[in-house]
Amino acid sequence: MRLFLIALIALGLAAGVAVAIQYDSGYVLVAYGRTTVEMTVWVAAALLLVVLFVLWLLLSLLSRSVRLSDRLGVMRNQRRIERERQRSHRGVLAYAEGNWLQAKRLLLSSASSDKPLINYLLAARASQRLGDERGVAQALSQAENSGPHADIAVTLTQAELQMERGQLEEALANLMRLRKHAERYPAVLMLLARVYRGLGDWEGLRKLVPELRKRKLLADAALQELEREALRGELLRLRQVGEAEPLLQWWRQLGRSSELRGELLEDMVPALLAVGRGSEASKLLRAAIKQQWREELVLLYASISDDDPARQLGVAESWLKEYSDRPGLLLALGRICLRNELWGKAREYLERAHRLATTAPVCFELARLLEHLGEAEESARYLREGLMLQGQQLPDLPMPQQHTL
């Protein structure tokens, strides 16, 4: 129907033109200089249509050639991008396989792909593995210029590579510049924790733990272990200083509610003894044992040379009312008696401990006591028994200190 209408319209136009030509052919004169051209209006109109058709045809061909050229350019660009992606992929594989030189070459040669930042950062790490510090610097510089917002990733990578090279101070300086961005970039906090550990900055590490916990960057067990390590590092540093007051002040600042205070007590007592504060150590142990009975704390209490030995023995004997069947307590009482030269009491407590649980520490204490009392045969028997127990199993209780009888 559509073709029929077009044909019908064309026939109508042709008939109209034919009638118009018969009615009046018209006259057109074109003069240019001395040259003149004469023709009818209808011939001029036909020539004009021909010229317009030729121009349209030329423009159409030109447009098609431009589109063809664009398509060819797009195809060439797509092929180039695909080749670069393949090189980038091979570069990542080479990096994962440890082929650092090949990885660096492939990653840098494909860095003009759609992910140049990743290429440059991995190239910097590959250069690090090769020991090429200049290559590291160049790759990081190119990474920083690879696109917007690349500076954070570059600084983090630089800090991590500095840490691997042992340049902890430089890494710390870089990370502190990013500290204000920690809310958006948690990796800053994780790297700071590693730097603090490497530098032995236990105070800085301890102050970082609450933020790590707040952002849930580590499991609870890992956070507790990190905090424990920081506190023990601080305690060791204060012990090395050799002054009692800073040590006691640090302990008070922990607060009674600290979950780790009980675990740190076994480190705190030797530290107090090292600075000549045995009375404070005894006080701390008595309070801890009253709060929670632990045989290792009782044995630690017995190892302290208290300023008031009679009181120390009385406090330990008061525990017998509730824990008379605990071999650890009896061993502790035996050691306190040995230090105070109460040979009969020491023997009684140690033999009771031996009857309840035959352990190597109890046997060794009995052997030393009986040797002092002149009972060489019994002493040798206990010594052999202790050595056999020690060779067959790990003792549950700490080994005794060397007392002077």
Side-chain angles (χ1 to χ4, degrees):
M1 180 62 71
R2 186 177 179 181
L3 291 174
F4 174 76
L5 290 174
I6 293 173
L8 186 61
I9 292 170
L11 287 173
L13 290 173
V17 170
V19 171
I21 292 173
Q22 290 179 356
Y23 176 76
D24 188 0
S25 61
Y27 178 74
V28 174
L29 173 66
V30 178
Y32 182 78
R34 295 183 179 181
T35 302
T36 60
V37 178
E38 297 179 4
M39 66 188 75
T40 66
V41 171
W42 303 109
V43 173
L47 289 175
L48 180 60
L49 289 176
V50 171
V51 170
L52 291 176
F53 175 75
V54 171
L55 288 175
W56 172 82
L57 184 60
L58 290 175
L59 290 174
S60 178
L61 292 174
L62 181 62
S63 176
R64 290 190 178 188
S65 64
V66 169
R67 287 199 297 270
L68 180 60
S69 177
D70 290 342
R71 288 181 182 177
L72 292 174
V74 169
M75 292 175 62
R76 285 195 297 269
N77 190 51
Q78 288 177 343
R79 284 198 296 270
R80 178 183 61 81
I81 291 174
E82 184 61 29
R83 288 196 299 269
E84 289 178 349
R85 284 178 178 173
Q86 291 177 359
R87 283 202 302 271
S88 180
H89 180 71
R90 293 201 305 271
V92 172
L93 290 178
Y95 180 86
E97 294 166 357
N99 298 319
W100 314 122
L101 188 60
Q102 183 184 8
K104 176 185 174 183
R105 178 177 59 80
L106 288 170
L107 289 166
L108 289 176
S109 66
S110 60
S112 59
S113 65
D114 56 344
K115 297 179 181 179
L117 179 60
I118 296 175
N119 286 42
Y120 286 129
L121 293 180
L122 283 179
R125 292 179 182 275
S127 299
Q128 172 94 339
R129 303 298 182 272
L130 293 168
D132 183 7
E133 293 190 20
R134 183 178 178 184
V136 171
Q138 289 177 344
L140 290 177
S141 176
Q142 290 171 306
E144 195 166 8
N145 298 323
S146 64
H149 312 299
D151 53 334
I152 300 293
V154 171
T155 305
L156 286 172
T157 302
Q158 185 179 32
E160 192 172 355
L161 296 180
Q162 286 170 335
M163 289 166 59
E164 291 181 6
R165 295 195 296 266
Q167 299 170 344
L168 299 179
E169 295 289 350
E170 293 84 347
L172 179 61
N174 278 324
L175 291 172
M176 291 307 293
R177 288 200 298 271
L178 300 179
R179 187 73 170 80
K180 60 182 178 181
H181 300 292
E183 184 174 353
R184 288 186 296 164
Y185 308 108
V188 175
L189 298 178
M190 298 299 295
L191 290 177
L192 271 175
R194 289 174 55 188
V195 170
Y196 284 144
R197 290 181 70 187
L199 291 172
D201 185 353
W202 305 116
E203 183 179 359
L205 180 60
R206 179 171 59 85
K207 291 180 179 178
L208 191 65
V209 169
E211 195 165 357
L212 292 171
R213 181 176 287 113
K214 176 183 176 182
R215 304 192 186 288
K216 298 181 180 180
L217 298 179
L218 288 173
D220 290 339
L223 284 168
Q224 193 171 24
E225 181 60 33
L226 197 64
E227 187 175 15
R228 185 184 297 112
E229 182 183 3
L231 290 171
R232 281 183 172 146
E234 286 186 287
L235 178 57
L236 178 61
R237 179 180 59 81
L238 290 169
R239 178 176 177 175
Q240 291 171 345
V241 170
E243 297 180 7
E245 283 308 316
L247 185 61
L248 290 169
Q249 184 180 2
W250 174 84
W251 182 257
R252 286 191 291 268
Q253 287 175 347
L254 286 182
R256 294 181 179 273
S257 61
S258 174
E259 297 180 1
L260 297 176
R261 187 168 177 168
E263 298 181 32
L264 293 170
L265 186 61
E266 294 179 47
D267 299 292
M268 182 63 178
V269 169
L272 287 172
L273 295 177
V275 296
R277 292 298 186 91
S279 59
E280 282 87 348
S282 295
K283 183 178 179 181
L284 287 176
L285 283 170
R286 287 195 298 269
I289 292 169
K290 183 178 180 181
Q291 186 176 5
Q292 181 183 12
W293 173 269
R294 290 167 55 195
E295 287 194 351
E296 55 267 26
L297 296 182
V298 175
L299 290 167
L300 190 57
Y301 178 73
S303 69
I304 298 174
S305 297
D306 201 290
D307 297 336
D308 189 350
R311 180 188 177 189
Q312 184 184 26
L313 180 59
V315 169
E317 286 181 330
S318 69
W319 296 329
L320 285 171
K321 297 176 184 179
E322 190 174 355
Y323 304 104
S324 59
D325 59 343
R326 302 295 178 91
L329 174 58
L330 296 171
L331 175 59
L333 284 165
R335 287 174 173 173
I336 295 174
C337 292
L338 286 174
R339 190 166 53 253
N340 292 282
E341 300 182 358
L342 301 173
W343 314 125
K345 267 194 167 186
R347 183 170 187 170
E348 179 186 349
Y349 286 130
L350 291 172
E351 286 179 345
R352 282 176 61 187
H354 185 268
R355 287 194 296 272
L356 286 172
T358 304
T359 62
V362 172
C363 291
F364 290 144
E365 293 288 9
L366 278 169
R368 291 164 58 248
L369 172 60
L370 293 173
E371 182 183 9
H372 175 74
L373 296 176
E375 300 182 25
E377 185 175 347
E378 283 295 299
S379 173
R381 183 174 69 82
Y382 280 117
L383 181 61
R384 286 194 299 272
E385 186 177 6
L387 291 172
M388 289 178 62
L389 289 170
Q390 192 180 46
Q392 293 176 0
Q393 63 182 27
L394 291 173
D396 295 327
L397 302 175
M399 291 298 295
Q401 295 185 347
Q402 297 298 320
H403 305 302
T404 301
L405 300 181

